[in-house]
Amino acid sequence: MPEKPSKLMPALYGGIIMGIISGIPFLNFVNCLCCAGVMFGGFMAVFFYKKDLPPDNQMFTNSDAMALGALAGVFGAILGNVITGVLLLTVGNITGKAMYNMVIGLYDSIGLLDKMPADAVEQMERGMMDSGLSVTNIVLSFVIDPLFGLLGGLIGYAFLKPKALPPAQTVTQ
Amino acid sequence: MSKVSFAYALALAGTVVWCALVVAAPYCVHLGGSWAPVGETIYTGFHRICHQLDGRSLHLFGLPFAACSRCTAIYFAFLAGTVVYPFLRPLRTPRTPSRLTFLLALAPMLIDVGLALSGIHESDTLSRLLTGTIFGVMLPFVVLPVYLGAVHEFSSRSSSVHTHMKGTVDA
């Protein structure tokens, strides 16, 4: 029986996609839609793994997809935190600032800003500007990214799974 | 209880906890005292995966849920789908729906988001809840068969190793 290809590289590629989406400001807004960016990374890990398999990839199993998605999530969490950290050190929390300006603009346009207590506005600003890189965020990234990466891997398998072979026919002579 | 049934129960329990956390965040902050930091930690956790905009969230005690209305709808619909799953599909013979079914369930949400982003039509709470529910209720029928299939593979692999080892010892 032929050996299965390594899961490491496809998971790493998926993790790179995940990390870039999660770490790059504004691009990480994709994750606001139920972690779509993270799930996409898990999906892509399964896609890359399937590409390494022979065309009649009957040895591609459900458990492979689960492992690929979760592993891509671990890689994605590492890379996402590194990118976030580097960007915070160099350009600051531009996503938080943009988000704050967007919300304030929205509240102002509907006339809600004047009615809001100053404390609430201040707390909202603090909440958005502090949501950069903290110990809590790093720990949570290593829980949430593998979990949603795994979900992406499961969806990927449902999409890309090998078609079942037709039943073997009896040869009569 | 078989390993597949146990795995299903585990997925259901995990989904219940996840949904409970969404509602627990405002409740904990409302309780105040030592519960407030618990609620704030939950908000921080969900902030990674949701914008948590106050105007786009459902509220409890005047405080927003830990996730926006669309995400909340997806999570609770996922829970509903997970609950009904064993009544509609056998746990032991996992079967996923077609790609078309998945795309049809995803389409209303993508259209709603796309129209809002392009400025053609602003989505409201009802459209977010409705499109999130359609997608969320279908998602377990895509995800659970693969997950249960993986558990079945693990258990059959470990039982074959166990049988092999037993045979070796007996011999």
Side-chain angles (χ1 to χ4, degrees):
Chain A
M1 193 176 167
E3 233 178 76
K4 282 185 179 183
S6 166
K7 291 188 190 74
L8 199 66
M9 289 316 286
L12 184 62
Y13 296 147
I16 290 171
I17 293 171
M18 203 183 279
I20 288 172
I21 294 175
S22 303
I24 303 282
F26 305 111
L27 194 58
N28 58 12
F29 284 170
V30 173
N31 282 339
C32 288
L33 192 70
C34 225
C35 245
V38 176
M39 287 203 275
F40 182 66
F43 183 99
M44 289 310 287
V46 172
F47 173 78
F48 290 127
Y49 183 74
K50 198 199 166 192
K51 270 180 72 178
D52 287 349
L53 289 166
D56 57 333
N57 48 13
Q58 291 304 313
M59 52 187 178
F60 185 24
T61 60
N62 299 280
S63 44
D64 291 334
M66 250 176 97
L68 279 161
L71 197 58
V74 174
F75 287 132
I78 295 169
L79 192 70
N81 284 319
V82 169
I83 294 174
T84 306
V86 169
L87 287 174
L88 275 174
L89 285 173
T90 52
V91 292
N93 190 0
I94 51 173
T95 314
K97 210 177 289 178
M99 194 88 169
Y100 173 74
N101 289 337
M102 192 184 82
V103 173
I104 286 294
L106 187 77
Y107 285 179
D108 196 24
S109 66
I110 55 173
L112 206 69
L113 191 63
D114 300 332
K115 292 174 194 161
M116 279 177 81
D119 285 356
V121 178
E122 199 179 308
Q123 195 183 352
M124 191 170 71
E125 183 183 7
R126 214 178 316 129
M128 285 179 180
M129 297 307 289
D130 287 351
S131 58
L133 199 68
S134 62
V135 177
T136 318
N137 264 334
I138 293 171
V139 172
L140 285 168
S141 72
F142 281 95
V143 176
I144 288 169
D145 288 13
L147 181 69
F148 279 83
L150 189 147
L151 272 176
L154 296 179
I155 294 171
Y157 185 81
F159 257 76
L160 307 167
K161 67 180 172 185
K163 285 192 176 77
L165 287 174
Q169 291 186 345
T170 316
V171 179
T172 50
Q173 288 185 336
Chain B
M1 188 188 250
S2 73
K3 280 181 183 168
V4 173
S5 304
F6 178 73
Y8 166 76
L10 203 65
L12 181 62
T15 313
V16 168
V17 170
W18 188 266
C19 291
L21 285 173
V22 174
V23 186
Y27 186 62
C28 287
V29 173
H30 172 74
L31 286 177
S34 58
W35 286 103
V38 177
E40 276 156 19
T41 308
I42 298 171
Y43 276 121
T44 309
F46 276 88
H47 186 67
R48 272 194 76 79
I49 51 172
C50 184
H51 53 69
Q52 296 178 324
L53 292 178
D54 188 78
R56 289 176 171 240
S57 303
L58 301 172
H59 290 73
L60 185 69
F61 303 117
L63 295 159
F65 279 13
C68 71
S69 53
R70 195 191 303 278
C71 289
T72 303
I74 294 173
Y75 299 148
F76 278 86
F78 187 95
L79 174 62
T82 307
V83 169
V84 299
Y85 182 86
F87 299 105
L88 301 175
R89 294 278 168 98
L91 292 179
R92 286 173 188 285
T93 48
R95 191 161 48 92
T96 51
S98 67
R99 290 175 197 179
L100 185 68
T101 313
F102 179 79
L103 292 173
L104 281 175
L106 181 64
M109 193 167 75
L110 290 182
I111 292 168
D112 195 42
V113 173
L115 289 176
L117 285 176
S118 61
I120 296 169
H121 168 74
E122 185 55 45
S123 63
D124 53 21
T125 305
L126 183 67
S127 74
R128 286 177 213 132
L129 287 175
L130 200 64
T131 57
T133 302
I134 293 169
F135 177 63
V137 83
M138 184 274 316
L139 205 52
F141 292 88
V142 175
V143 168
L144 281 179
V146 186
Y147 162 69
L148 295 173
V151 172
H152 186 69
E153 283 162 18
F154 280 128
S155 61
S156 56
R157 211 178 296 163
S158 63
S159 67
S160 72
V161 169
H162 182 73
T163 312
H164 175 73
M165 283 174 71
K166 195 176 171 223
T168 314
V169 171
D170 288 345

